[in-house]
Amino acid sequence: MTSPAARLLAPRSVVVIGASDRSRWSQGAVDNLRGGGFAGPTHLVNPRGGIVHGQTAATSCAGLGEPADLGIILVPGHATVSAIEDLAACGSRSAVILTSGFAELGVDGKAAQDAVTAAARAHGIRLLGPNSLGFLNFVTPALVWTTPIQRPSRPDGVAIISQSGATAFFLTNLAAQWDVGLSYVVATGNEADLGSTDFARALVDDPATRAIALFIETVRDPTGFLAVATAASAAGKPVVVLKTGKSEVSAKAALAHTGALVGNDRVFDAVCRQYGVIRTRSIEELLATADLASRTGRLRPGGLAVISNSGGICEIAADSAESYGIAMPQLTDSAARAVQQTIPGFATAHNPLDLTGGITPEQCRAVVDIMAAQPEFAALLCPYYEVPTQETDRSERLTALHDALANGLRAAPIPGFVVSYTATYLSALSRRLVAETGMPYLACGLDRAITALGHVFAWSAALDHKQPPRRQPIALEMARPRSESGALALLARYGAPTVPSVLATTADAAVAAAGSMEGPVVLKIASPDIAHKSDIGGVALRVSGEAAVREAFERVHQAGLSVAGASIEGVLVAPMRPPGLELFVGVSRDAQWGAVLAVGLGGIFVEVLQDVSLRLLPVDADEVRRMLSELRGAALLAGSRGTKPADRDATARAVAAIGTAALTCGPALAALDVNPLWVDGSHVEALDALCIWNEETPSCAPT
Amino acid sequence: MTSPAARLLAPRSVVVIGASDRSRWSQGAVDNLRGGGFAGPTHLVNPRGGIVHGQTAATSCAGLGEPADLGIILVPGHATVSAIEDLAACGSRSAVILTSGFAELGVDGKAAQDAVTAAARAHGIRLLGPNSLGFLNFVTPALVWTTPIQRPSRPDGVAIISQSGATAFFLTNLAAQWDVGLSYVVATGNEADLGSTDFARALVDDPATRAIALFIETVRDPTGFLAVATAASAAGKPVVVLKTGKSEVSAKAALAHTGALVGNDRVFDAVCRQYGVIRTRSIEELLATADLASRTGRLRPGGLAVISNSGGICEIAADSAESYGIAMPQLTDSAARAVQQTIPGFATAHNPLDLTGGITPEQCRAVVDIMAAQPEFAALLCPYYEVPTQETDRSERLTALHDALANGLRAAPIPGFVVSYTATYLSALSRRLVAETGMPYLACGLDRAITALGHVFAWSAALDHKQPPRRQPIALEMARPRSESGALALLARYGAPTVPSVLATTADAAVAAAGSMEGPVVLKIASPDIAHKSDIGGVALRVSGEAAVREAFERVHQAGLSVAGASIEGVLVAPMRPPGLELFVGVSRDAQWGAVLAVGLGGIFVEVLQDVSLRLLPVDADEVRRMLSELRGAALLAGSRGTKPADRDATARAVAAIGTAALTCGPALAALDVNPLWVDGSHVEALDALCIWNEETPSCAPT
């Protein structure tokens, strides 16, 4: 780890600037450094010098006489710039600004923050904050935090990165309550310099970090976010995110809170799906998922096995597994027989397996071995007595059963856990019992555990889905088609299948074009100024024969001429396609994420149900196939209602080509609609297309 | 409470049959009775008499010499019938059978259970169990349970009724962890006699019970379930249910576990929606919702206000509220001003309100008063520092803030709670702090609290929705129409609008019929033996003019005659309706719940998306309107895609009349399909209908 973010998190020496016995923040920071086992020197700076927190304080960093890796800045806002300048004097390359009152307050605060950032940049100092609560490095201990902190019992596993300091604190407390191992906690605050994606990227490379839990209000650096996701996928390391800003109300609160824009939530959902980021909906779900994922890593293909001592819990587990999309394969006959032979008199063995209350520890262990050995299973969950929280909950029988379970699960070839029935906490006793038996234990409760497993199963299955690299578009001096024919030609140039069409400027030309096509034709007015051609009578369908074509040309052409100010290019003649499946394919530009591809089934699916699948461009045909399978109306692709089954490969290739065409246009293209993309078996064609351009954007600007 | 279930739960005296020092169950039962404050005498019976658990045991109930209200039966299965007979000798009218090994084991166990039930019936003794873990009455204390139990700090609030004893136990433990008030806990086991609905019905009338939490694997008594729901709604008392059996795997587990059939999950969902039962998906959600509902009762119309000390939590709250369908009204200008005047220098006041960490207790109290006084709000949630679990978490400032909050919330005109950020637990200290301040506190965490609030808001809004009474159908000696014309006539008889049609047996008659109708007509073969008329060429659409009608008659008639063995009634002539909105209306018979009405939009909505809304019959038009508004495609009713807006009242009346017609047919009607119910503005007509009959069912059997 040698990135600026990694260097900031692992200082060999620190200096607290603004140290004062009268400040509980200062006292708290020094207490955490000392009590948290920080191995290097902790220098203190106070303008008046003297003894602070029991040690001699320097009057400035310049006066320290030795270098300090990291400055911890506690001075008031107005003194922050000079603190940075002073810090440079002792060779620091990193600073944590715990002071608040900057961009989160509005325009004036933003100006003050910009001054701090400029000073830091001038001196080559990278920043965490301002308005940060600090960070916790449990691996090479450095607890840079001002309030009392519960340290995890294991200094590895989950790294927490949060734009909200309070939420970082709540997550750390919950991790202590559930005994979740933590490597780092970073509260990124206003992210004036280093942001959550910088720290996430650094921790992807950290061996003690096996999963990253991100709480974000806004993605300030979309490119960095995608880089984190891509690197994490390559490393097989899960990134789990809780992102707010879904509701309008929430978007307002985020604005008040961080002063940042909140992006379109549906696009963010699509980004997560596309780039293998696990998105969760609550603090508990975030931590339970990151914890579980940090302990399982990627799951092999297969389903979930459940062993419990309660039939009711078995049923709840099965229902929840179904809700979260987890397969629970049935036991094979031989496995069921093996269970029955292990427990004489046992009724039928199912998955989930209700062992009831009466078995021996030896039987319990044997059953775990049998279940864990089945190739159908990828993970094993045992809601099977909770770990006692107090002495009175203990019994010899329970201890023996938990020992048997712990030994069985540790020896199992697949990840397995004992899980509390409901969300609970680990007391000092529980923590000791878990440590002594080495039991893989989840205290988040069955419901959160199954939710988490659902995420981890889906993440594991999608880890091989690769995305094409995102590139700057080539600076093409291209024409910007405004008409249907131009848009179709643009698509065709990038390999998208389009309906063959001829632009006719005379009735004779239209007749000739129609004559060259098989079957009836369609005639449409061609004008960059007429978007809704049908509304003005500019479309003639199912036209056959010379006289009819001639008549239709005149009618459609006249309709176009009657639109005041419209420039008329002619009349487009194309073969009339028989009824087929109609898709909608659209590309639009998200202010934050760039070009977004939307695919849906035509008609009510898009108009009434908003049933579209979204992705960032570029996509390849494999990704488009996944988009198609996500649609609620996906069954229609199999060919219900008298249409042929759609050739999904041909359809996906066509959609991907449309995406390529749109992307190549660069940011000058505001939107591209293909409506419909007509699909008749493996015959796929864009029948109509529309491009909308940003006039002021040069065509070679970055996407 | 004088029902058999109520009497069983409140004994004045008990006798433990099978009491023995060697049995830990027996010891546990007696310990709980004694330690739990049971006020009446506890008699013990052991066939050998002597001193048991430190008191003299009788050798039989007959030998007690005084009556005992309730028998607690711990004897082995084979001795249960004699225990019941003995119990009758001391005048008992109730027994709890803790013994297992009955119907849950299969056919032999079922026979043994039937013998017990018969003995009890013969002696007028009502049963809880067998295979029950017992019950806990915390109100007039009687803890009939064999394992150690944590008693709630408040003996009122939620009553827990569970078919699974283990789940009842887990719920009771979780209630202790979260400090939820409990009135009763009942583990109903095999429900050989009294079942969960009997106990629920009794507890609806219990003043200490303000919400009922039900865990059920199967509804053994659907009529009783509906009676509970109806009585609870009338009493304004929420019934919250966790029902398993959703997944196929789970259905198998339930079979192994209780030997009962698991009903159709979608129908059960509809029953809950229709009858005001709150359905939840996990143990935590069940208890959090029942707890919250028991403390709020019905909420007035309005939205949710949130006050926090963390901006991140505000955003999470807003997002969750949106997910669970809770409105979060914006602050009015005057309310926002009042907040800003309370806290000098405060930025903009929003809902959710981020008070940040720095305000005084007095300011906190004033803000609570302002927020609680706004008429837009119906409830107030404060994720605002958790209640300390240990002394080191306490501080003067926190105590003062919590006092201010507690006083403010207690004085508020709407229900308000402090809620932990994440799911936590109450230590002895926390419990004392909550009791001392009288703080309304939820330890389930913000996420579960908002989920629960979503349920309570929806339940409150639906509490006025009344359902028509369910009656035995009048024993009608009615014809059972098999043909389309007969089915349409049946519908018309009960007031459903149908397309006017004429059954023509000759071409002349068809021509005459067509002549009497405006516009083109449709001709369809009329035969009880031909279900798919189009497939055999038995339908002619858009027919105009005498010659065409004549030709169509011959063609359609001939097509019918060519179907081997089909009895041909003639040809149905009806006006051809223009395109409109097409609905599917179906009635089918659920083995458990009886006649079920399904309504959906036609075409892909039903075929591809399974977008139907279900209800038990009878329904009135108001309920049908609610069904229509639940459809994913409901926007189509507003008249998109060139159709007129549907007259929802007329549509709902037509659907309700179809339901009435189907219900009146009684159980002989296996299914009734109206496809389509055509809607063109306020012109609503059944265009086609089909009845399917159970041949062997007499028409006057109960529904």
Side-chain angles (χ1 to χ4, degrees):
Chain A
M1 303 211 300
T2 50
S3 68
R7 196 184 312 122
L8 189 146
L9 294 179
R12 285 155 305 167
S13 53
V14 301
V15 52
V16 179
I17 307 174
S20 159
D21 282 335
R22 287 179 309 178
S23 158
R24 60 182 167 121
W25 308 112
S26 170
Q27 184 67 58
V30 171
D31 287 350
N32 276 327
L33 282 163
R34 291 175 181 165
F38 180 59
T42 300
H43 305 290
L44 305 183
V45 166
N46 180 298
R48 283 180 300 275
I51 302 294
V52 177
H53 308 317
Q55 79 181 61
T56 304
T59 55
S60 70
C61 294
L64 277 182
E66 55 180 305
D69 268 1
L70 173 73
I72 301 169
I73 298 182
L74 283 163
V75 300
H78 62 81
T80 310
V81 168
S82 11
I84 293 281
E85 287 164 350
D86 180 31
L87 182 60
C90 68
S92 281
R93 293 171 67 191
S94 314
V96 179
I97 306 181
L98 303 177
T99 313
S100 61
F102 290 93
E104 78 275 16
L105 293 192
V107 176
D108 292 349
K110 178 69 168 59
Q113 180 171 309
D114 288 346
V116 170
T117 319
R121 195 174 299 119
H123 293 284
I125 294 176
R126 304 304 300 261
L127 302 178
L128 170 61
N131 190 27
S132 160
L133 289 192
F135 70 84
L136 303 165
N137 170 348
F138 296 115
V139 183
T140 51
L143 309 192
V144 179
W145 200 269
T146 59
T147 57
I149 279 292
Q150 295 195 64
R151 291 163 69 187
S153 49
R154 297 179 304 282
D156 55 27
V158 177
I160 294 169
I161 301 170
S162 172
Q163 289 180 337
S164 153
T167 307
F169 185 68
F170 306 148
L171 279 161
T172 308
N173 283 349
L174 187 61
Q177 180 182 324
W178 285 350
D179 196 27
V180 171
L182 295 182
S183 55
Y184 294 84
V185 177
V186 187
T188 58
N190 288 5
E191 303 190 342
D193 177 18
L194 294 170
S196 39
T197 46
D198 297 302
F199 290 102
R201 183 63 194 82
L203 294 173
V204 166
D205 295 334
D206 172 52
T209 298
R210 287 191 298 276
I212 294 172
L214 267 178
F215 175 77
I216 41 180
E217 292 155 343
T218 184
V219 178
R220 285 199 177 75
D221 174 14
T223 305
F225 186 86
L226 297 179
V228 168
T230 304
S233 288
K237 200 170 276 193
V239 175
V240 189
V241 65
L242 173 61
K243 183 182 177 301
T244 56
K246 185 190 167 199
S247 65
E248 228 189 313
V249 177
S250 168
K252 261 183 215 164
L255 210 61
H257 190 227
T258 66
L261 279 170
V262 173
N264 179 318
D265 195 70
R266 285 194 71 184
V267 175
F268 185 71
D269 246 8
V271 168
C272 291
R273 193 172 298 119
Q274 184 173 5
Y275 284 88
V277 172
I278 300 175
R279 186 168 188 190
T280 59
R281 300 290 168 183
S282 68
I283 295 180
E284 288 96 331
E285 189 184 338
L286 172 63
L287 188 66
T289 305
D291 177 35
L292 188 90
S294 78
R295 294 160 81 169
T296 62
R298 182 183 198 173
L299 296 172
R300 72 183 191 193
L304 174 66
V306 169
I307 302 177
S308 181
N309 59 325
S310 155
I313 289 291
C314 282
E315 291 160 37
I316 292 172
D319 276 1
S320 303
E322 186 181 276
S323 294
Y324 298 117
I326 302 172
M328 290 194 69
Q330 262 312 305
L331 283 186
T332 58
D333 288 348
S334 66
R337 245 191 333 269
V339 170
Q340 281 157 319
Q341 282 162 1
T342 303
I343 312 172
F346 193 74
T348 328
H350 294 292
N351 178 33
L353 185 61
D354 174 12
L355 285 184
T356 73
I359 64 161
T360 68
E362 293 70 30
Q363 289 169 335
C364 179
R365 168 65 201 263
V367 167
V368 169
D369 289 349
I370 294 165
M371 296 290 275
Q374 304 308 312
E376 297 80 14
F377 299 135
L380 184 55
L381 210 52
C382 305
Y384 197 100
Y385 299 114
E386 297 182 351
V387 170
T389 54
Q390 45 195 0
E391 282 293 341
T392 51
D393 297 339
R394 298 183 70 182
S395 74
E396 272 183 45
R397 175 174 158 74
L398 179 59
T399 302
L401 281 169
H402 271 173
D403 275 342
L405 269 174
N407 293 336
L409 294 175
R410 280 207 319 271
I414 54 173
F417 301 89
V418 177
V419 59
S420 58
Y421 302 113
T422 55
T424 185
Y425 68 101
L426 275 82
S427 64
L429 170 68
S430 328
R431 223 171 285 267
R432 185 164 60 78
L433 294 175
V434 167
E436 280 172 8
T437 54
M439 179 192 286
Y441 186 58
L442 303 173
C444 60
L446 180 65
D447 185 53
R448 300 284 186 200
I450 291 198
T451 309
L453 263 174
H455 287 306
V456 177
F457 269 108
W459 170 79
S460 300
L463 207 49
D464 295 328
H465 301 169
K466 298 288 175 241
Q467 297 303 319
R470 288 164 66 83
R471 281 192 223 95
Q472 300 292 358
I474 308 140
L476 284 181
E477 267 311 315
M478 69 192 312
R480 295 181 180 179
R482 273 164 181 71
S483 66
E484 177 182 347
S485 59
L488 288 171
L490 172 70
L491 294 178
R493 203 181 316 154
Y494 292 96
T498 57
V499 67
S501 62
V502 173
L503 184 64
T505 51
T506 64
D508 285 345
V511 168
S516 72
M517 295 168 184
E518 254 186 74
V521 295
V522 53
L523 289 86
K524 297 187 271 186
I525 189 72
S527 163
D529 304 313
I530 303 174
H532 301 288
K533 299 180 280 278
S534 298
D535 296 357
I536 59 128
V539 178
L541 299 172
R542 287 181 213 85
V543 184
S544 296
E546 180 179 333
V549 169
R550 197 171 293 280
E551 185 277 325
F553 177 89
E554 297 300 348
R555 180 158 47 84
V556 162
H557 195 241
Q558 204 52 50
L561 292 176
S562 69
V563 176
S567 138
I568 304 298
E569 297 175 347
V571 170
L572 215 56
V573 182
M576 176 83 202
R577 296 302 181 205
L581 198 65
E582 302 202 339
L583 269 64
F584 167 86
V585 182
V587 175
S588 59
R589 185 156 292 278
D590 183 85
Q592 196 168 23
W593 294 100
V596 175
L597 172 70
V599 176
L601 289 156
I604 54 155
F605 282 96
V606 166
E607 292 164 30
V608 178
L609 301 171
Q610 278 97 46
D611 179 25
V612 292
S613 173
L614 305 179
R615 290 293 189 278
L616 300 191
L617 287 176
V619 293
D620 58 21
D622 283 345
E623 192 67 27
V624 176
R625 283 186 62 115
R626 290 190 281 272
M627 294 176 79
L628 293 173
S629 67
E630 279 168 21
L631 296 173
R632 275 192 263 157
L636 283 184
L637 297 169
S640 57
R641 316 208 86 208
T643 59
K644 286 185 217 163
D647 179 334
R648 292 189 184 219
D649 288 327
T651 307
R653 279 195 304 272
V655 173
I658 293 169
T660 303
L663 202 57
T664 311
C665 294
L669 182 76
L672 165 65
D673 277 7
V674 174
N675 194 8
L677 180 72
W678 170 83
V679 179
D680 185 41
S682 58
H683 192 180
V684 181
E685 276 179 1
L687 298 190
D688 198 347
L690 174 70
C691 291
I692 297 171
W693 301 92
N694 294 317
E695 289 313 324
E696 62 291 357
T697 316
S699 55
C700 55
T703 22
Chain B
M1 304 211 300
T2 51
S3 68
R7 197 184 310 121
L8 188 145
L9 294 179
R12 284 155 307 170
S13 53
V14 302
V15 52
V16 179
I17 307 173
S20 159
D21 282 335
R22 286 178 310 176
S23 157
R24 61 182 166 121
W25 309 113
S26 171
Q27 185 66 58
V30 171
D31 286 350
N32 276 327
L33 282 163
R34 290 176 181 164
F38 181 59
T42 299
H43 306 290
L44 306 181
V45 166
N46 179 300
R48 283 181 300 273
I51 302 294
V52 178
H53 307 317
Q55 79 181 61
T56 305
T59 56
S60 71
C61 295
L64 278 183
E66 55 180 304
D69 269 1
L70 172 74
I72 301 170
I73 299 180
L74 283 163
V75 300
H78 62 81
T80 310
V81 167
S82 10
I84 292 282
E85 286 164 349
D86 180 31
L87 182 60
C90 67
S92 281
R93 294 169 68 190
S94 315
V96 179
I97 306 180
L98 303 178
T99 315
S100 60
F102 290 93
E104 79 275 15
L105 292 192
V107 176
D108 291 351
K110 179 68 168 62
Q113 181 171 307
D114 288 346
V116 171
T117 319
R121 194 175 298 119
H123 292 286
I125 293 175
R126 305 304 300 263
L127 302 178
L128 170 61
N131 191 29
S132 161
L133 289 191
F135 70 86
L136 303 165
N137 170 349
F138 296 115
V139 183
T140 51
L143 309 193
V144 179
W145 201 269
T146 58
T147 56
I149 278 292
Q150 295 195 64
R151 292 163 69 188
S153 49
R154 296 178 306 280
D156 55 27
V158 177
I160 293 168
I161 302 171
S162 172
Q163 288 179 340
S164 153
T167 306
F169 186 68
F170 305 148
L171 280 161
T172 307
N173 283 349
L174 187 60
Q177 181 183 323
W178 285 350
D179 195 29
V180 171
L182 295 182
S183 56
Y184 294 84
V185 176
V186 187
T188 59
N190 287 6
E191 303 191 341
D193 178 18
L194 295 170
S196 38
T197 47
D198 298 303
F199 290 102
R201 183 64 194 81
L203 294 174
V204 166
D205 296 334
D206 171 51
T209 299
R210 287 190 299 275
I212 295 171
L214 268 177
F215 175 77
I216 42 181
E217 291 155 342
T218 183
V219 179
R220 285 198 177 77
D221 174 14
T223 305
F225 186 87
L226 297 179
V228 168
T230 305
S233 289
K237 201 171 274 193
V239 175
V240 189
V241 65
L242 173 61
K243 182 183 178 300
T244 56
K246 186 192 167 200
S247 65
E248 226 189 315
V249 178
S250 168
K252 260 183 213 163
L255 209 64
H257 189 228
T258 68
L261 280 170
V262 173
N264 178 317
D265 194 70
R266 284 194 71 183
V267 175
F268 184 71
D269 245 9
V271 168
C272 291
R273 193 172 297 122
Q274 185 173 6
Y275 284 89
V277 172
I278 299 173
R279 186 167 190 193
T280 59
R281 300 290 167 184
S282 69
I283 296 180
E284 287 97 331
E285 189 184 339
L286 172 63
L287 188 66
T289 305
D291 177 34
L292 188 90
S294 78
R295 294 160 82 168
T296 63
R298 183 183 196 174
L299 296 172
R300 73 183 190 192
L304 173 66
V306 169
I307 302 176
S308 181
N309 59 324
S310 154
I313 289 291
C314 282
E315 291 159 38
I316 292 171
D319 277 0
S320 303
E322 185 181 276
S323 294
Y324 297 118
I326 302 172
M328 290 195 68
Q330 262 312 305
L331 283 186
T332 59
D333 289 348
S334 66
R337 245 191 331 270
V339 170
Q340 280 158 318
Q341 281 161 3
T342 302
I343 312 172
F346 193 75
T348 327
H350 293 292
N351 178 34
L353 185 62
D354 175 12
L355 285 184
T356 72
I359 64 163
T360 68
E362 293 69 30
Q363 288 169 337
C364 178
R365 168 66 200 263
V367 167
V368 170
D369 290 349
I370 293 164
M371 296 290 275
Q374 303 308 313
E376 295 82 11
F377 299 135
L380 183 56
L381 210 52
C382 306
Y384 197 99
Y385 298 114
E386 297 183 350
V387 170
T389 54
Q390 45 196 2
E391 281 294 340
T392 51
D393 297 339
R394 297 182 71 183
S395 74
E396 270 183 47
R397 175 175 158 74
L398 178 60
T399 303
L401 280 169
H402 272 173
D403 274 344
L405 268 174
N407 292 336
L409 294 174
R410 282 206 318 272
I414 54 174
F417 302 89
V418 177
V419 59
S420 59
Y421 302 112
T422 54
T424 184
Y425 68 100
L426 276 82
S427 65
L429 169 68
S430 329
R431 222 172 287 268
R432 185 163 61 74
L433 293 176
V434 166
E436 279 172 9
T437 55
M439 179 192 286
Y441 187 60
L442 305 173
C444 59
L446 180 66
D447 184 52
R448 299 286 186 199
I450 291 198
T451 310
L453 263 174
H455 286 307
V456 177
F457 269 106
W459 170 80
S460 299
L463 206 49
D464 294 328
H465 301 169
K466 299 288 175 240
Q467 296 303 319
R470 289 165 66 85
R471 282 191 222 95
Q472 301 291 358
I474 309 138
L476 285 179
E477 268 311 316
M478 68 193 311
R480 296 180 180 180
R482 273 166 182 70
S483 65
E484 176 181 348
S485 59
L488 287 171
L490 172 71
L491 295 178
R493 201 182 317 154
Y494 292 95
T498 57
V499 68
S501 63
V502 172
L503 184 64
T505 52
T506 65
D508 285 344
V511 168
S516 72
M517 295 167 184
E518 257 186 70
V521 294
V522 54
L523 287 88
K524 297 189 270 188
I525 190 72
S527 162
D529 305 312
I530 302 174
H532 300 288
K533 298 180 281 277
S534 298
D535 295 357
I536 58 124
V539 177
L541 299 172
R542 287 181 212 87
V543 185
S544 295
E546 180 179 331
V549 169
R550 198 172 292 280
E551 184 278 326
F553 177 90
E554 296 301 348
R555 180 158 45 85
V556 162
H557 196 241
Q558 204 51 48
L561 292 177
S562 69
V563 176
S567 140
I568 304 300
E569 295 175 350
V571 172
L572 215 54
V573 183
M576 178 81 201
R577 295 302 181 203
L581 199 64
E582 300 202 339
L583 269 64
F584 167 86
V585 183
V587 176
S588 60
R589 186 155 291 278
D590 183 86
Q592 197 169 23
W593 294 100
V596 175
L597 172 70
V599 176
L601 289 157
I604 54 154
F605 282 96
V606 167
E607 291 164 31
V608 178
L609 301 171
Q610 278 96 46
D611 179 26
V612 291
S613 172
L614 303 179
R615 290 293 189 277
L616 301 191
L617 287 175
V619 291
D620 58 21
D622 283 344
E623 192 67 27
V624 177
R625 283 186 62 115
R626 290 189 281 271
M627 296 175 77
L628 294 174
S629 66
E630 280 167 22
L631 296 172
R632 275 192 261 157
L636 282 184
L637 297 169
S640 58
R641 315 209 87 207
T643 60
K644 288 183 216 164
D647 179 334
R648 292 191 184 218
D649 288 326
T651 308
R653 280 195 304 271
V655 173
I658 293 169
T660 304
L663 203 57
T664 312
C665 293
L669 182 74
L672 166 65
D673 277 8
V674 175
N675 194 10
L677 180 72
W678 169 83
V679 179
D680 185 40
S682 58
H683 193 179
V684 180
E685 276 179 0
L687 299 190
D688 198 348
L690 174 70
C691 291
I692 296 170
W693 301 91
N694 294 318
E695 288 313 324
E696 61 292 353
T697 317
S699 54
C700 55
T703 24

